[in-house]
């Protein structure tokens, strides 16, 4: 069942990505010859509205084949206003960007659905108070529930850290203890800590940790739109920063996961709850959007760079350069995929 869920989720994400390319191409009047979910030999195909819609035997991706576009034939020229290669560079950039953009839109839709159904988050309940910390000195205790900081109501644990980090000076905490609301004045201290990439940083802290308690947050439709937008943006920033830290060597290459890890995460989420499955699907959708925008030849980002070059230089890159860079891009992608699978197998053997 987990494998089926994984394939369905992956196919859904690929379909949405390619649908972005398809709709943008059709908007500019380009003939789309093939819309494929998967690579290799086709298992099912149907011609509809001038396009062959198909499922192929290898379900790990997909593509939209437009008239006048072929990475293996960069010099390909097909006459007609419905040909990709006859469109202006900025139009091609829009078509290329439309795929990743569709992934961001899909993620926002999924996050909106999560907000309407009820998003899970850590409760603002204290599970640990560090000895001699500002919270300890102020008298905060385990099982205290933080309901407000200054004039800001607190709904979940993440808001506590955000308010502390973004504030200055002393803070007034309102906590609920045994059904009674009491207030405490606390001055955060700047201490050593680690970010999500395990880098050493300094930040304002008061010395508390959350209890293992989850709350369900409910939003109005307007609040859900804001939640969806903010979460999509934050997820995108996190993945962009993760790629940056990987390139810098902060994140070791052993942390790269492959298709096995993705499948396991989706499978586990599907067995947990619909909210968990939607959350993982949204995060993977953002991941696909971000990774496809990387300036690697063979990815959308790489093709966007080729078109930006054409706009700036007022000429296309030579066929030889295009082919060399595209092959290099495929080598990079294949190497990353193999590394991911290698890491996946190592994790399974441990």
């Amino acid at each position: 069942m987990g494998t089926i869920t994984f394939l369905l989720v992956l196919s859904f994400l690929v379909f949405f990505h390619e649908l972005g390319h398809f709709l943008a191409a059709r908007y500019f009047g380009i003939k789309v010859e093939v819309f494929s979910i998967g690579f290799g030999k086709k298992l099912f195909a149907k011609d509809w509205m001038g396009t062959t819609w198909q499922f192929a035997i290898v379900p790990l991706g997909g593509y939209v084949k437009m008239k006048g576009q072929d990475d293996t034939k960069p010099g390909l020229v097909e006459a007609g206003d419905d040909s990709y290669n006859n469109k202006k560079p900025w139009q091609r950039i829009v078509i290329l960007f439309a795929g990743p953009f569709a992934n961001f839109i899909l993620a926002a839709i999924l996050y909106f659905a999560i907000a309407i159904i009820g998003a899970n988050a850590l409760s603002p309940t204290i599970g640990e108070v560090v000895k001699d910390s500002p919270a300890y000195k102020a008298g905060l205790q385990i099982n205290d529930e933080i309901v407000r900081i200054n004039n800001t109501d607190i709904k979940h644990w993440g808001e506590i850290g955000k308010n502390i980090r973004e504030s200055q000076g002393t803070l007034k905490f309102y906590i609920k203890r045994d059904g009674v609301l009491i207030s405490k004045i606390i001055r955060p201290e700047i201490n050593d800590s680690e970010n999500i990439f395990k880098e050493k940083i300094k930040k304002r802290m008061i010395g508390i940790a959350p209890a293992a308690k989850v709350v369900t947050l409910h939003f109005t439709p307007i609040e859900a739109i804001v939640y969806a937008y903010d979460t999509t943006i934050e997820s995108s920033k996190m993945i962009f920063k993760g790629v940056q830290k990987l390139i810098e060597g902060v994140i070791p290459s052993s942390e790269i996961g492959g298709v096995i890890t993705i499948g396991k995460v989706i499978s586990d989420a599907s067995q947990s709850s619909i909210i968990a499955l939607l959350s993982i699907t949204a995060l993977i959708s953002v991941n696909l959007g971000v990774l496809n925008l990387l300036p690697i030849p063979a990815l959308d980002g790489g093709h966007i760079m080729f078109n930006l070059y054409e706009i700036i230089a007022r000429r296309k890159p030579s066929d030889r350069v295009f082919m060399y860079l595209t092959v290099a891009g495929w080598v990079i992608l294949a190497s990353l995929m193999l590394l991911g699978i290698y890491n996946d197998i190592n994790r399974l053997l441990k």
Side-chain angles (χ1 to χ4, degrees), residues 308-328:
L308 287 175
Y309 171 84
E310 184 176 341
I311 291 174
I312 296 170
R314 298 183 180 277
R315 61 185 176 86
K316 293 183 178 182
S318 69
D319 291 351
R320 177 177 294 183
V321 169
F322 183 94
M323 277 304 301
Y324 283 158
L325 291 177
T326 299
V327 170

Side-chain angles (χ1 to χ4, degrees), residues 203-278:
K203 68 177 183 179
R204 281 166 58 87
M205 305 170 67
I206 66 170
I208 57 175
K213 183 179 178 182
V214 175
V215 293
T216 300
L217 307 176
H218 294 282
F219 301 85
T220 65
I222 298 300
E223 290 172 336
I225 292 174
V226 175
Y227 172 86
Y229 176 82
D230 289 344
T231 308
T232 302
I233 294 297
E234 287 304 313
S235 298
S236 301
K237 288 180 179 178
M238 181 185 69
I239 294 170
F240 267 117
K241 191 167 290 187
V243 173
Q244 176 190 341
K245 298 301 179 183
L246 183 64
I247 295 172
E248 293 174 353
V250 174
I251 299 176
S253 59
S254 59
E255 292 296 315
I256 295 176
V259 64
I260 299 174
T261 294
I262 296 173
K264 185 177 186 307
V265 169
I266 293 175
S267 177
D268 291 345
S270 68
Q271 295 173 26
S272 175
S273 67
I274 184 63
I275 294 296
L277 180 59
L278 291 176

Side-chain angles (χ1 to χ4, degrees), residues 11-159:
S11 296
F12 176 63
L13 294 175
V14 169
F15 171 79
F16 222 88
H17 178 94
E18 299 304 334
L19 183 64
H21 291 311
F22 174 85
L23 293 176
R26 296 299 300 129
Y27 176 79
F28 288 116
I30 296 173
K31 176 180 175 59
V32 179
E33 298 174 346
V34 180
F35 188 117
S36 180
I37 303 299
F39 299 100
K41 184 178 179 180
K42 57 187 178 184
L43 298 174
F44 169 82
K46 181 176 178 60
D47 293 331
W48 182 54
M49 297 181 65
T51 300
T52 298
W53 303 74
Q54 67 180 39
F55 284 94
I57 194 168
V58 182
L60 304 178
Y63 63 92
V64 164
K65 173 67 173 66
M66 293 174 277
K67 179 182 176 181
Q69 182 204 30
D70 190 339
D71 288 354
T72 63
K73 301 175 183 178
L76 176 67
V77 175
E78 292 192 55
D81 193 48
D82 62 346
S83 180
Y84 174 83
N85 59 280
N86 286 334
K87 296 300 177 180
K88 296 177 181 178
W90 72 264
Q91 293 174 314
R92 287 183 240 134
I93 289 174
V94 171
I95 294 168
L96 293 164
F97 180 74
F101 183 70
N103 283 123
F104 296 132
I105 293 297
L106 174 60
I109 292 171
L110 294 174
Y111 284 129
F112 177 83
I114 290 169
I116 293 297
I117 296 171
N120 293 330
L122 276 175
S123 165
T125 303
I126 298 174
E128 179 185 355
V129 180
V130 178
K131 189 175 181 180
D132 296 327
S133 66
Y136 181 88
K137 295 173 182 176
L140 265 61
Q141 300 176 10
I142 293 175
N143 292 326
D144 282 350
E145 181 185 349
I146 300 172
V147 296
R148 192 161 73 249
I149 300 176
N150 289 344
N151 296 318
T152 303
D153 291 333
I154 301 299
K155 296 180 179 179
H156 59 88
W157 188 267
E159 294 178 329

Side-chain angles (χ1 to χ4, degrees), residues 123-196:
S123 165
T125 303
I126 298 174
E128 179 185 355
V129 180
V130 178
K131 189 175 181 180
D132 296 327
S133 66
Y136 181 88
K137 295 173 182 176
L140 265 61
Q141 300 176 10
I142 293 175
N143 292 326
D144 282 350
E145 181 185 349
I146 300 172
V147 296
R148 192 161 73 249
I149 300 176
N150 289 344
N151 296 318
T152 303
D153 291 333
I154 301 299
K155 296 180 179 179
H156 59 88
W157 188 267
E159 294 178 329
I160 299 173
K162 181 180 179 181
N163 274 272
I164 295 172
R165 289 193 305 271
E166 296 178 355
S167 65
Q168 294 182 351
T170 59
L171 300 172
K172 191 171 186 178
F173 279 67
Y174 295 86
I175 63 174
K176 187 181 291 185
R177 180 184 299 166
D178 299 325
V180 178
L181 188 66
I182 59 178
S183 63
K184 299 285 185 180
I185 300 297
I186 304 176
R187 177 181 287 276
E189 295 178 345
I190 298 178
N191 291 318
D192 294 328
S193 183
E194 288 186 347
N195 60 18
I196 60 173

